[in-house]
Amino acid sequence: MLRNFQDIREAAKKEGKKRIVLTPSGPDSGSEALFEAAKEGWIAPVFIRDVSSMDKALRAKGFSSHDFEIINEQNPRKCVMLALDMVRGKKADIVMQGAMEHQTFLDLVLDREKGLLQSRVASLVSVFDPPALDRLTMITDVYINNNPSITEKIAITENAIKLARILGIGSTKIAALSAIEQVNPAIPSTMDAAILAKMAERKQFGDVVIEGPLDMDCAVSAKAAARKGVRSSVTGKADIYLAPDVEAGYLMAQISVFVAVVPMAGVLMGTTHPVIIDLPITSGENRLVEIALAALLSGR
Amino acid sequence: MIRTFEEIDRIASEKGPKRLIVLAPEDEEFMLAVKQSWQRRYIEPVLIGSRDKIERLADQVAFDITPFEKIFESDRQGIANLAISMLFAGDVDMAGKGQIPTSFIYRSIIREESKIRKGTMVSVIGLWDIAGLGHLTAITDPGVNINPDYESKIEILKNAVFLFHLLGYPKPRISVLSGQREIGGNLESYSDFTKLRQAAHEGELGSCEVIEATSFAEIFLPGRKVFSRISDIDIGKTAFPEILLAPNLSTGNILTKLDLVIPGFRRRSVVMTSRGPVVIPARSDFHDSITGEIALGVVIADRVRKA
């Protein structure tokens, strides 16, 4: 079981060298992390961009254009399509968002026919390395789906469970969050959480315990939960927190990063091949962990 | 300007005791909080609820309740109606929820507000004392309105702004939080932000300012899209707002309770009415935190009357 970001980085190094195609390549924080991983020898970056401007950028990082594969293409959309072709053709393992606005990049990557979408929906899992715990925790979906339906929440749950398995978490404990811990038809997320909990009870997700609905105090504190009459193996020990909607998920992830100051790395799940999004809430230092997580996902 | 919970506790002991009507104090933790608040001279309790349960719980926590006014009533809605009507009539300074469904109390508040034609919307204000920040921060509404529309958000913010004025903040800064990202189209919460900013600018919310930031990233990284090291983040160096408006109930409730896991965070919550505060502890709260919420209520009750 991987218990912190250092474990993830070490495990990724044992996976063998992975080819990451940065597309369209540009001078952003992602490429900084790529260069670091390349220096450490476990990542082989491939750049798709205007070659004429590449030499200078590489020299600034202490490399030359001979050190990496560079594909000349100036049209940003074509850059992404080339990258998708490369991973499908096993010429690369991972796609990484470069200098392109998020909506266009994700529209291309998650296109049902020409993209890499595998699950019913893709979803983003924020993985946290809380200093006070000796294990990783996750929140999902924090980015992709505005108001997921119960069908989409099932897919989001399955996506997160898949990541938990890759991180070596055995019997995964999931808190399906809402505003209250009681099922209330006026609050649809309580109904969704109850459905997910019942599905887990019937082993529809495998070796997983889902408790829900749980409000936040019940989710994070077994003592507080007991005061409310909620007794579960999940309270106070959740590996994954399922957000009721993206407003809650995205803001939870943000408050964890900026206010609680907990290191965070994001992972896009639900695609045939790993895809790294240029998340604005990932610090430069943790971009390397995102690359490591993608390397662990590759081939699984 | 009150900046910390310690200041609230000090002022509560100076301005107390206030008459607190305690609705159904039929739980040990809650009765302990009433006892503790009385010992600290915050309150003079008026106990309303089931005779058997009140007397048994008082006995359990060794609290001699013989000097206090007691009203014996077992119907839950009857308890809420009577207690809240006493608050609005000025017979008591504040009310506190024990073992009674919160919705019953909200119903009674709405009824009393409509009687005096104030029509104040009921909303909960979760108040954080964040170590190193230098001011209190509210998150609202974590307790009542499931999916507030623009008009409801106006009322929710008016309640929070009113509270901050009472606490001595002449022009609180508000962040209208939204899950707006680079993808996913325009969320309603983001559209509301634009309108609320304009409403604040035109004075509709009272003296306050709706700031540009709609997320924690924008609060911490104004004008930037990247940051290198997480260890460089310092809340004390940001223009962290006094009021955070949550886009919906779930988000508000989840965020406000993160004090349980974020070091240096403490939380107290209150419901504002036009006649005084109603203390509504979470059912998971223990007596020390309930006592803290009562202290907050005492300070507000004192200042509401003066206002």
Side-chain angles (χ1 to χ4, degrees):
Chain A
M1 178 173 161
L2 307 180
R3 294 188 173 275
N4 52 49
F5 282 180
Q6 189 58 37
D7 284 355
I8 289 172
R9 288 177 59 170
E10 294 303 322
K13 287 176 187 173
K14 293 173 189 161
E15 290 288 311
K17 192 177 270 192
K18 301 287 181 184
R19 284 166 64 83
I20 293 191
V21 53
L22 181 70
T23 182
S25 309
D28 57 16
S29 61
S31 58
E32 290 284 344
L34 264 188
F35 288 125
E36 193 175 337
K39 277 180 182 166
E40 290 178 358
W42 52 284
I43 285 296
V46 178
F47 298 97
I48 305 180
R49 62 173 291 169
D50 177 6
V51 170
S52 61
S53 62
M54 195 69 200
D55 258 349
K56 192 178 169 190
L58 287 176
R59 276 201 303 274
K61 308 290 181 192
F63 294 99
S64 86
S65 55
H66 302 295
D67 293 327
F68 307 113
E69 183 179 352
I70 303 168
I71 298 166
N72 188 24
E73 176 56 62
Q74 295 184 30
N75 181 298
R77 293 176 71 91
K78 285 184 182 170
C79 286
V80 177
M81 297 310 291
L82 271 173
L84 300 183
D85 286 343
M86 286 181 73
V87 291
R88 272 194 296 259
K90 301 189 187 305
K91 292 176 183 167
D93 303 295
I94 299 161
V95 176
M96 185 169 183
Q97 181 187 358
M100 173 181 265
E101 59 114 352
H102 295 68
Q103 187 70 67
T104 310
F105 178 77
L106 283 172
D107 284 348
L108 293 168
V109 167
L110 301 179
D111 184 89
R112 286 210 174 269
E113 290 178 6
K114 297 177 182 172
L116 304 178
L117 187 63
Q118 181 180 45
S119 171
R120 179 180 291 272
V121 292
S123 51
L124 198 95
V125 182
S126 276
V127 181
F128 293 92
D129 182 1
L133 296 180
D134 67 343
R135 60 190 169 83
L136 299 163
T137 60
M138 291 168 258
I139 304 174
T140 192
D141 173 23
V142 305
Y143 198 73
I144 303 293
N145 303 280
N146 284 356
N147 281 299
S149 64
I150 180 61
T151 313
E152 290 165 339
K153 284 182 180 177
I154 291 167
I156 290 167
T157 304
E158 289 167 342
N159 287 346
I161 292 168
K162 181 179 177 186
L163 179 60
R165 296 280 179 269
I166 289 166
L167 295 173
I169 299 169
S171 182
T172 309
K173 297 180 176 67
I174 302 176
L177 296 174
S178 187
I180 53 175
E181 81 288 2
Q182 292 157 338
V183 179
N184 181 343
I187 306 174
S189 59
T190 66
M191 311 271 279
D192 293 345
I195 291 169
L196 292 169
K198 178 54 80 175
M199 288 175 70
E201 193 184 310
R202 299 280 160 88
K203 299 295 175 195
Q204 287 176 254
F205 294 111
D207 185 17
V208 166
V209 183
I210 301 180
E211 190 62 60
L214 287 178
D215 56 358
M216 199 63 193
D217 45 357
C218 285
V220 299
S221 166
K223 197 175 163 191
R227 272 275 286 158
K228 289 186 169 180
V230 177
R231 286 178 174 78
S232 162
S233 61
V234 175
T235 56
K237 291 177 183 167
D239 302 300
I240 299 169
Y241 297 90
L242 282 180
D245 59 29
V246 83
E247 305 257 29
Y250 194 43
L251 289 166
M252 272 176 81
Q254 287 203 0
I255 200 170
S256 304
V257 170
F258 294 106
V259 180
V261 198
V262 181
M264 189 281 296
V267 188
L268 185 71
M269 298 297 296
T271 52
T272 55
H273 299 77
V275 177
I276 301 171
I277 305 175
D278 183 20
L279 274 184
I281 60 170
T282 302
S283 68
E285 63 189 337
N286 288 326
R287 190 75 68 195
L288 199 60
V289 181
E290 293 185 342
I291 294 171
L293 283 163
L296 292 175
L297 274 172
S298 175
R300 290 187 171 90
Chain B
M1 186 186 292
I2 299 176
R3 297 175 185 277
T4 65
F5 287 169
E6 280 71 26
E7 287 179 60
I8 283 174
D9 294 344
R10 179 181 53 76
I11 295 168
S13 58
E14 287 170 7
K15 301 296 181 183
K18 300 289 180 194
R19 271 170 65 83
L20 165 71
I21 187 155
V22 191
L23 290 73
E26 298 160 3
D27 164 270
E28 193 169 313
E29 290 295 326
F30 200 82
M31 190 63 94
L32 265 174
V34 174
K35 178 185 176 185
Q36 197 171 48
S37 301
W38 176 73
Q39 287 172 332
R40 293 182 185 179
R41 294 188 50 79
Y42 295 164
I43 59 157
E44 175 198 321
V46 176
L47 307 170
I48 178 169
S50 155
R51 178 177 197 150
D52 290 350
K53 289 179 182 170
I54 288 175
E55 289 179 348
R56 181 166 46 82
L57 263 300
D59 193 48
Q60 270 181 27
V61 302
F63 184 28
D64 178 9
I65 58 170
T66 48
F68 309 128
E69 184 178 344
K70 293 173 281 293
I71 302 167
F72 298 122
E73 168 67 61
S74 54
D75 178 69
R76 305 281 104 173
Q77 189 62 67
I79 291 171
N81 289 345
L82 183 55
I84 300 300
S85 69
M86 287 174 74
L87 174 67
F88 275 70
D91 297 333
V92 294
D93 302 298
M94 54 193 284
K97 182 188 99 80
Q99 275 48 62
I100 189 168
T102 315
S103 58
F104 288 21
I105 300 174
Y106 295 154
R107 202 177 297 153
S108 303
I109 295 172
I110 291 164
R111 200 179 70 160
E112 292 298 324
E113 291 283 4
S114 66
K115 276 186 196 169
I116 58 169
R117 294 167 188 263
K118 276 280 190 182
T120 302
M121 173 176 271
V122 181
S123 59
V124 176
I125 302 167
L127 209 56
W128 281 333
D129 177 335
I130 303 172
L133 185 56
H135 65 76
L136 296 173
T137 302
I139 183 152
T140 189
D141 165 17
V144 182
N145 300 281
I146 297 170
N147 274 308
D149 58 13
Y150 167 72
E151 299 298 335
S152 302
K153 286 176 180 173
I154 287 274
E155 299 303 317
I156 290 167
L157 282 179
K158 280 182 184 173
N159 287 346
V161 169
F162 177 53
L163 172 64
F164 271 81
H165 289 170
L166 290 178
L167 297 174
Y169 294 72
K171 194 173 183 180
R173 292 161 300 158
I174 300 166
S175 175
V176 176
L177 293 178
S178 171
Q180 185 74 33
R181 293 99 62 223
E182 298 77 8
I183 64 166
N186 241 13
L187 294 180
E188 193 175 334
S189 55
Y190 194 74
S191 306
D192 288 343
F193 150 69
T194 313
K195 291 190 279 183
L196 289 165
R197 189 166 157 86
Q198 184 62 26
H201 185 68
E202 290 168 1
E204 201 179 332
L205 306 175
S207 174
C208 67
E209 178 194 358
V210 171
I211 64 171
E212 189 73 35
T214 60
S215 68
F216 296 104
E218 290 173 0
I219 291 168
F220 279 81
L221 307 171
R224 283 194 290 158
K225 285 192 173 175
V226 294
F227 64 112
S228 57
R229 302 189 67 78
I230 194 166
S231 52
D232 294 340
I233 296 168
D234 181 355
I235 195 169
K237 292 178 182 167
T238 66
F240 204 75
E242 281 81 23
I243 298 171
L244 302 167
L245 176 69
N248 56 36
L249 179 68
S250 296
T251 307
N253 195 276
I254 288 168
L255 293 183
T256 196
K257 289 173 176 169
L258 285 172
D259 65 290
L260 291 166
V261 287
I262 304 179
F265 268 54
R266 291 178 293 165
R267 167 176 45 98
R268 294 176 181 179
S269 300
V270 70
V271 171
M272 295 295 296
T273 78
S274 54
R275 288 291 188 269
V278 179
V279 178
I280 299 192
R283 281 173 296 117
S284 56
D285 281 349
F286 292 88
H287 67 273
D288 278 334
S289 62
I290 299 170
T291 302
E293 300 205 326
I294 290 172
L296 173 63
V298 168
V299 173
I300 294 168
D302 181 67
R303 296 185 175 202
V304 163
R305 287 293 151 89
K306 286 174 186 164

